[in-house]
Amino acid sequence: MKRTTLYIALAAFTFAAVLTVADRALHLSPALLMTARWVMVAALLVHGVAKRSLTTWIFVAMIVGAVAGHDFPQLADDRHLNVRVLALVFLRLIKTVIAPLIFATLVVGIAGHSDLKAVGRMGVKSIVFFEILTTLALVIGLFAINISKAGVGAQIPTTTTAADLSAQKLTASDTILHVFPENIAKAVADGQILQVVVFSIIFGIGLARVREERRRPMLSFCESLAEVMFKFTNIVMLFAPIGVGAAICYTVGHTGLGILVNLAKLILALYVALAVFIVGVLFPVLLLMKIPLRPFLNAIAEPATIAFGTANSEAALPSAMESMEAFGVPRNVVAFVMPTGYSFNLTGSTLYLSLAAIFVAQASGIHLALGRQLLIMLTLMLTSKGVAGVSRSSLVILLAAVGSFGLPVEPVFVLLGIDQLMDMGRTAVNVIGNCLATVVVAKWEGEYLPAVGRRSSVVQEVSR
């Protein structure tokens, strides 16, 4: 049934696309073209019902929104109640997640690995390696979006005025002061996410220095809070197809279908940047550390494929841990570095976030100076830690970053429509980077033994 509805939907989509292209030369009847488009929409909706997948419904909603905005631009008329209110409802629900989620995950990430003396040099070296990789990923992403200029000319309608933007300009002294909170409740209410991050980091360090019997209750609370916010986000994401469809409808109703060209440029820019990161950063690390290339590629093939196919880092974790031990990395190194990397070494995700944040500014017609872009990159590097387990975590982090710097949020909804396509690539790079990190740390510690190569259930050991 699912395959049949998919074939019907693809046939209807192809037919509508062919008629649209032919219309340029043959000048077909507008009624015929509209009928073909809505037959396609009906076929997609039937497939969505049969598939019952959130990702499928987001894709369907994006196409339905584009068709509705093109055929009925009055749905985006600002003089009356329009579809944009549905997108704003979704935005408000997502915004409620940001502060508690980042606080909980950062505190758990820091205080949960507080016993660095027990892991010795391995803990310090892991964190240094993680930060170097993620910084390079951010830089590559920044170069890619500034070179491709994927968002330029998108003309996405926003509610941010010139007066709003000028109010966000800060002097050097103000910028430094702006990082540190004077009232955490005020920082949360004002959406100053960088201040929430600084507070959470200091809080996590303070918690890590408390005796175990005092630390455990607060750590358990933060772990529970993070888990609840993950579930909260999953519930809110059920509304995502409606929010995305409404946002696309509003955008196309105002600007036409040209925005789809910008999204295609962004997808291309992301995958080119990921390829540059693999070839220009990960490959040289392999050579520098004298890690055998072909055996390493064979070891990461399975977890990377799982990550790409599912767009979920956690789905590839068991395979990645077992493969790295079979590759010759000791169990204690894999058990420490791999889970830590899932919080601090999301290279693919941080690269994507740097592209997406500047895309938002470009699509809104806002020029950001280099200093401003670097400050956004610093914010992204901090806020992206520890949220790998939440569905569509990129949306949460991206909304937090653009809101903190006074950028319009409307372009973020457009990005959500293609998030699955981009999530596949960045998730695979996340897993590859974490696998490489385990081998590098093992070699630094002198514990890499490729001759050992025995497969065992590392995940069971970690759970025990």
Side-chain angles (χ1 to χ4, degrees):
M1 182 63 181
K2 294 178 183 178
R3 183 171 298 180
T4 301
T5 57
L6 175 61
Y7 291 154
I8 294 174
L10 289 176
F13 181 86
T14 303
F15 181 67
V18 170
L19 287 182
T20 301
V21 173
D23 178 58
R24 297 184 177 183
L26 303 177
H27 303 290
L28 301 175
S29 167
L32 174 63
L33 293 172
M34 180 179 288
T35 300
R37 286 193 293 268
W38 285 98
V39 168
M40 173 192 68
V41 166
L44 287 171
L45 291 173
V46 171
H47 176 62
V49 171
K51 184 73 171 177
R52 293 184 180 180
S53 163
L54 179 61
T55 300
T56 300
W57 272 110
I58 289 177
F59 276 120
V60 170
M62 185 177 179
I63 296 175
V64 173
V67 173
H70 179 268
D71 291 340
F72 305 103
Q74 60 269 26
L75 293 174
D77 191 344
D78 289 325
R79 294 171 298 179
H80 308 287
L81 182 64
N82 58 62
V83 295
R84 184 171 177 271
V85 68
L86 298 175
L88 292 178
V89 169
F90 179 63
L91 169 65
R92 291 194 172 202
L93 290 174
I94 285 292
K95 279 187 172 182
T96 61
V97 179
I98 294 172
L101 178 62
I102 289 180
F103 169 78
T105 52
L106 275 178
V107 170
V108 171
I110 294 172
H113 296 285
S114 60
D115 193 11
L116 292 181
K117 291 182 180 179
V119 297
R121 296 181 306 274
M122 185 168 62
V124 176
K125 290 178 179 178
S126 298
I127 293 175
V128 170
F129 184 70
F130 295 159
E131 292 308 315
I132 291 174
L133 284 190
T134 52
T135 300
L136 291 174
L138 284 170
V139 172
I140 291 174
L142 191 62
F143 271 105
I145 191 63
N146 280 287
I147 292 173
S148 66
K149 299 186 183 300
V152 174
Q155 299 179 347
I156 296 177
T158 68
T159 56
T160 306
T161 65
D164 295 328
L165 295 176
S166 62
Q168 294 293 329
K169 296 179 180 178
L170 302 172
T171 65
S173 299
D174 291 336
T175 300
I176 296 174
L177 290 175
H178 192 68
V179 172
F180 301 95
E182 59 179 341
N183 185 318
I184 186 58
K186 184 176 183 296
V188 172
D190 293 343
Q192 301 297 336
I193 201 62
L194 192 54
Q195 296 182 12
V196 175
V197 169
V198 171
F199 174 85
S200 302
I201 291 174
I202 297 174
F203 188 95
I205 294 173
L207 183 61
R209 297 171 64 87
V210 175
R211 297 195 311 271
E212 173 64 24
E213 62 271 18
R214 301 295 182 119
R215 170 161 46 96
R216 175 48 53 187
M218 180 57 70
L219 192 58
S220 297
F221 168 77
C222 290
E223 290 172 345
S224 298
L225 177 60
E227 186 68 22
V228 171
M229 298 318 298
F230 290 162
K231 301 301 183 184
F232 185 98
T233 304
N234 290 337
I235 294 172
V236 172
M237 286 305 300
L238 296 176
F239 191 69
I242 297 176
V244 171
I248 293 291
C249 179
Y250 181 79
T251 300
V252 172
H254 272 272
T255 66
L257 295 173
I259 181 62
L260 301 182
V261 176
N262 294 92
L263 295 180
K265 289 181 180 179
L266 181 64
I267 294 174
L268 179 61
L270 173 68
Y271 277 90
V272 170
L274 290 174
V276 169
F277 178 76
I278 292 174
V279 175
V281 176
L282 300 186
F283 183 68
V285 171
L286 280 168
L287 297 180
L288 182 64
M289 300 301 298
K290 298 181 180 179
I291 299 171
L293 178 59
R294 181 168 293 182
F296 179 76
L297 293 179
N298 291 334
I300 66 171
E302 180 180 318
T305 302
I306 294 173
F308 186 85
T310 62
N312 187 296
S313 297
E314 281 67 30
L317 179 60
S319 175
M321 296 179 76
E322 192 171 0
S323 295
M324 287 302 98
E325 186 176 349
F327 186 65
V329 181
R331 178 177 304 179
N332 66 306
V333 176
V334 175
F336 173 79
V337 177
M338 189 71 72
T340 306
Y342 267 58
S343 289
F344 294 94
N345 192 36
L346 303 176
T347 51
S349 296
T350 51
L351 189 153
Y352 160 75
L353 286 170
S354 64
L355 269 85
I358 307 304
F359 175 89
V360 169
Q362 292 178 350
S364 306
I366 300 170
H367 173 73
L368 293 176
L370 179 60
R372 196 71 166 170
Q373 292 187 28
L374 293 177
L375 188 57
I376 293 176
M377 295 306 101
L378 174 61
T379 303
L380 291 173
M381 186 169 61
L382 295 174
T383 55
S384 62
K385 307 305 182 189
V387 292
V390 61
S391 175
R392 297 293 186 267
S393 60
S394 59
L395 175 66
V396 178
I397 298 304
L398 188 57
L399 281 173
V402 300
S404 295
F405 289 90
L407 298 176
V409 298
E410 286 83 353
V412 179
F413 294 108
V414 179
L415 293 179
L416 184 58
I418 58 170
D419 188 68
Q420 180 70 13
L421 289 176
M422 296 186 288
D423 198 13
M424 296 166 73
R426 66 182 185 243
T427 302
V429 173
N430 286 344
V431 172
I432 294 172
N434 282 325
C435 289
L436 178 60
T438 61
V439 184
V440 170
V441 173
K443 294 207 73 171
W444 278 347
E445 292 297 304
E447 297 185 24
Y448 174 57
L449 299 173
V452 175
R454 61 184 188 278
R455 296 181 67 87
S456 63
S457 181
V458 182
V459 180
Q460 293 181 4
E461 183 72 13
V462 172
S463 64
R464 286 198 293 265

